[in-house]
Amino acid sequence: MAVQTVATSSDSTVDLGPAAALSCRECGHRVPLGPVFACEECFGPLEIAYDFSAYDTEELRRRIEAGPASIWRYAPLLPVPADVAEKPNLNPGWTKLVKADNLARELGVTGGLYVKDDSGNPTHSFKDRVVAQALEAARAFGFTTLSCSSTGNLAGAVGAAAARAGFRSCVFIPHDLEQGKIVMAAVYGGELVGIEGNYDDVNRFCSELIGDPSGEGWGFVNVNLRPYYAEGSKTLAYEICEQLGWRLPDQIVIPIASGSQLTKIDKGLQELIKLGLVEDRPYKIFGAQAEGCSPVSTAFKAGHDVVRPQKPDTIAKSLAIGNPADGPYVLDVARRTGGAVEDVTDAQIVDAIRLLARTEGIFAETAGGVTVGVTRKLLQEGVLDPAKTTVVLNTGDGLKTLDAVAGTGLTATIRPTLDSFREAGLA
Amino acid sequence: MAVQTVATSSDSTVDLGPAAALSCRECGHRVPLGPVFACEECFGPLEIAYDFSAYDTEELRRRIEAGPASIWRYAPLLPVPADVAEKPNLNPGWTKLVKADNLARELGVTGGLYVKDDSGNPTHSFKDRVVAQALEAARAFGFTTLSCSSTGNLAGAVGAAAARAGFRSCVFIPHDLEQGKIVMAAVYGGELVGIEGNYDDVNRFCSELIGDPSGEGWGFVNVNLRPYYAEGSKTLAYEICEQLGWRLPDQIVIPIASGSQLTKIDKGLQELIKLGLVEDRPYKIFGAQAEGCSPVSTAFKAGHDVVRPQKPDTIAKSLAIGNPADGPYVLDVARRTGGAVEDVTDAQIVDAIRLLARTEGIFAETAGGVTVGVTRKLLQEGVLDPAKTTVVLNTGDGLKTLDAVAGTGLTATIRPTLDSFREAGLA
């Protein structure tokens, strides 16, 4: 579907709230709202440009606080229509910001340590936030099929959102994924197509399909709807600040896959400052990767501006993007804010999953092990300041990556008698 | 630990809010608050007796509405101290009440159909609600170890809650549980003890341990703390009514394991009526079982007052209690309110899991398949009125019972080419 055939913001048929246009991140070239993702001038990534000029700070704050217990409390700051909460969707977000005092004691953090726990989302990962934005864009552009390429979390999030919203869904995955991940994605009843190839082959195929008449009417959440989709990560920034009492944290530790989430959280914080919803003071953003897929932390440590692709080999599969599209922007954000990018080994990831579970009762997926593990490492290195307010993201659920802690088992096996119990030394 | 040795409500050390005493459900005999569960006069089950006399209806309503987005908004109606939300706990509850319009269309419900989706709890089942109450009782009575017998959901809920609250935990399970369930329970770092025997053996052993010096200082959430624990299910009733705009639903479909949840939801609705928080009008309560473990529905259909034990054989393992302690009370509630108790086959359970996922994007555990399946069956039988407001409970998460839908898979496998895509008829 070419850009000139779709409805734009000047048409009465498109209402995406405060979203005014798409703007190229590289050259600033503006185009009307539509299902496009690359600049026609320079091939740079397109982002949403907003018009927030009419907002009064205190009125906006009251409106947000009186809003629903979901990302839609921030509808005035997202590319969605004002009545979005009334449309059928999964209403993700407004997940818990857990004050992690036990973990803080273990790590020696005295300035307040918080876990933003996105396992509380409807399909138990942060992907529900981004898919919910793409869904509204798909409605606005008249798409009837919701699609994506995925290796797990995104497939489930798209399948569930499409089911609830009455869209057809068709999700593409590598054909040899683990059976559990296939079940989780297939249960929502959409088409689930295995591609004979790896994730890169799946992605390449999806890009071909968008340009083909076969793909007409299809919204690929992470391809032709990507500018809208990516904005969903801003809601993590909004929620963290509101839950801290409309205050910026000093330090945030964020996982890096494509890097989009980290850059959009920074964008969200900047918006809150510009809107006057939080006081403008310094914050530092830290990126977290697995050693087995650490192209951004490698570039950061080497002082490079470009990110050299890697072949991923890590248990943190939801972060295993060897050629992260937003890698250079992540480097910008980390350096501009005085943060850093660090990585941890698979063994450190597993240790960190256990540490978080045993201290706070939160069972994180491997990506959460990456952020907690990197937090520990950066504290040991003296890069994170233990006296500052620190927020660590857990973006998914341990139930989806059980294999990572599969060695965990019974501490004892006994006969059903008190003698056997005493012999085991459990009393 | 004998009742006379524990702190009671007349002691300054015990503060369980409005909880005034324990009262026997059978003979009404009252004893002070303590870690006891059976009446010393008649062996009947003990329940919490409250003193709500000081509450002004509108003030209470405002206090609740201004409260936290968790079960603690209802602290004034629970056996917990007023400052419970400030103590380290998992803050469960305030889960979504999903207006299920797609499912309603499929089932022919016109009066409004809602799914109360408790998969949104911290460990993704309703057990977090009940464990949170038991935890506060354990604190009040000076216990330092949290324990239970379990076959799955409860083990994880206890392990997580104990970790966060700084309790030792020691959970007993049959030693031959599926590895996945063992991992989910063990990850929180507490003791996880396999008992050589079945669930009945585990239960029997736990009862022995409570009477033994080895068990001193141990709070078994579902044994000696059961009166407190069980109250957690009242919060489902409170939330449903508040989320409906302080209105009773006409019909509620609730799964039956021990039967405690169903009777406590009825108790919660009766409390809201007595407190004036909802209008007093008729409601009907429906119980749902799996055919392979249907002692209560068998008794209901036969017109019996007693429940004859069964040997469970069903995929709905979280409901597989063959000798449900509260079975007779469930029969009372269903008959008094004009409801019913029904059961569905394992095949119908799986169909219903898929139906809910494909219509609303909610992936339920087998217990949710039971309630949705029974709802469909009762509508077909003309027992449920399609013109009435109906609430169906989903008490757990499909990620925990993936085996039930293991047959679900890819709808097609193709090569990464447009030709292959077209040949598969997916366009």
Side-chain angles (χ1 to χ4, degrees), chain A residues 24 47 140 230:
Chain A
C24 176
E47 285 195 320

Side-chain angles (χ1 to χ4, degrees), chain B residues 305-372:
Chain B
D305 292 333
V306 292
V307 172
R308 180 186 296 218
Q310 292 182 359
K311 192 166 181 305
D313 179 18
T314 169
I315 58 169
K317 295 202 193 302
S318 63
L319 304 182
I321 297 184
N323 188 12
D326 288 330
Y329 303 125
V330 167
L331 294 172
D332 284 352
V333 170
R335 287 174 180 142
R336 170 170 51 77
T337 64
V341 185
E342 187 52 277
D343 56 81
V344 282
T345 66
D346 282 1
Q348 289 170 322
I349 293 168
V350 173
D351 276 355
I353 291 173
R354 289 185 204 277
L355 174 64
L356 181 61
R358 131 175 108 69
T359 53
E360 302 299 341
I362 296 171
F363 184 19
E365 75 152 299
T366 44
V370 169
T371 50
V372 172

Side-chain angles (χ1 to χ4, degrees), chain B residues 97-110:
Chain B
L97 182 71
V98 177
K99 183 119 196 293
D101 290 343
N102 298 331
L103 181 61
R105 266 191 299 277
E106 292 255 356
L107 299 182
V109 174
T110 56

Side-chain angles (χ1 to χ4, degrees), chain B residues 138-208:
Chain B
R139 274 196 244 264
F141 300 138
F143 291 134
T144 51
T145 297
L146 217 55
S147 186
C148 70
S149 56
S150 170
T151 63
N153 281 336
L154 186 56
V158 166
R164 171 114 176 112
F167 278 61
R168 180 188 177 217
S169 72
C170 186
V171 167
F172 298 93
I173 58 173
H175 71 115
D176 56 356
L177 275 195
E178 303 94 306
Q179 183 58 25
K181 284 196 182 157
I182 289 177
V183 170
M184 282 181 225
V187 74
Y188 302 103
E191 307 275 356
L192 183 69
V193 180
I195 298 279
E196 291 173 358
N198 61 23
Y199 183 65
D200 288 332
D201 296 317
V202 178
N203 259 335
R204 204 160 32 234
F205 169 73
C206 288
S207 299
E208 268 187 69

Side-chain angles (χ1 to χ4, degrees), chain A residues 40 43 123 153 237 257 289 410:
Chain A
E40 61 199 352
F43 301 105
T123 73
N153 281 334
Q289 297 207 292
L410 298 174

